[in-house]
Amino acid sequence: MLTALEVFTTVVVGVMVGVEFSVAFVMNRIFNALPEDSGQLGRAHGGRMLGAVMPFWYIGSLVLSAVWAVAGWHHDGAGLVVTAAGLLIVSVIMSILLLVPINNRGKTWTPENRPDDWKEQLNRWDRYHYVRVAVIIAAFALLAAALT
């Protein structure tokens, strides 16, 4: 049963990493290259869609990692899992304090109501997101290493 938990947790975190990596390095670059207001509208829609799912995914990943850490406490790799869970805590705190406030504003913007500094706010979100992606990649790598 522990092996199933380990694999399931690693897959859930790995897919989350893939989505967030894609947002950072693929989707936002596509949106930024679109003409006129299309990119901003695309990011607003993405913020609404992913903003509804990601809280459950981040918290779920953290809970799964914590359960794995407790269930596998006396197994090899427990320290890696605890460290990964700590990094996932950092990613949740970053999300709540830094990224979600900007996302909550941005997902309501239209070309008619967006603030004058909307590009600066999106650039700030991108910078925070790059750091968060690095954090969750590190967590994923530690979980993958704990499997061996």
Side-chain angles (χ1 to χ4, degrees):
M1 189 63 144
L2 180 60
T3 302
L5 173 64
E6 293 168 348
V7 170
F8 182 72
T9 302
T10 305
V11 169
V12 167
V13 173
V15 173
M16 180 178 72
V17 166
V19 168
E20 294 291 36
F21 185 90
S22 176
V23 167
F25 297 103
V26 179
M27 297 308 301
N28 285 346
R29 291 178 187 211
I30 290 170
F31 291 147
N32 291 342
L34 292 174
E36 299 174 17
D37 296 321
S38 300
Q40 184 262 309
L41 292 170
R43 285 179 70 132
H45 180 67
R48 287 188 299 275
M49 191 175 93
L50 289 173
V53 175
M54 296 316 281
F56 299 103
W57 212 339
Y58 273 83
I59 299 296
S61 295
L62 174 57
V63 168
L64 286 168
S65 298
V67 170
W68 176 359
V70 170
W73 187 251
H74 297 292
H75 292 82
D76 290 340
L80 296 173
V81 178
V82 169
T83 305
L87 289 172
L88 291 172
I89 289 170
V90 169
S91 75
V92 168
I93 291 169
M94 285 183 67
S95 297
I96 292 168
L97 296 179
L98 302 174
L99 289 118
V100 169
I102 298 169
N103 188 64
N104 284 345
R105 290 188 301 272
K107 68 185 183 182
T108 65
W109 293 340
T110 66
E112 294 77 34
N113 74 357
R114 65 187 179 211
D116 292 337
D117 70 338
W118 69 275
K119 286 184 181 180
E120 290 81 13
Q121 290 189 52
L122 292 181
N123 288 335
R124 188 175 329 115
W125 187 93
D126 288 343
R127 288 190 306 273
Y128 293 148
H129 184 65
Y130 294 141
V131 174
R132 180 175 62 177
V133 169
V135 169
I136 64 174
I137 287 172
F140 173 67
L142 290 169
L143 293 174
L147 285 172
T148 60

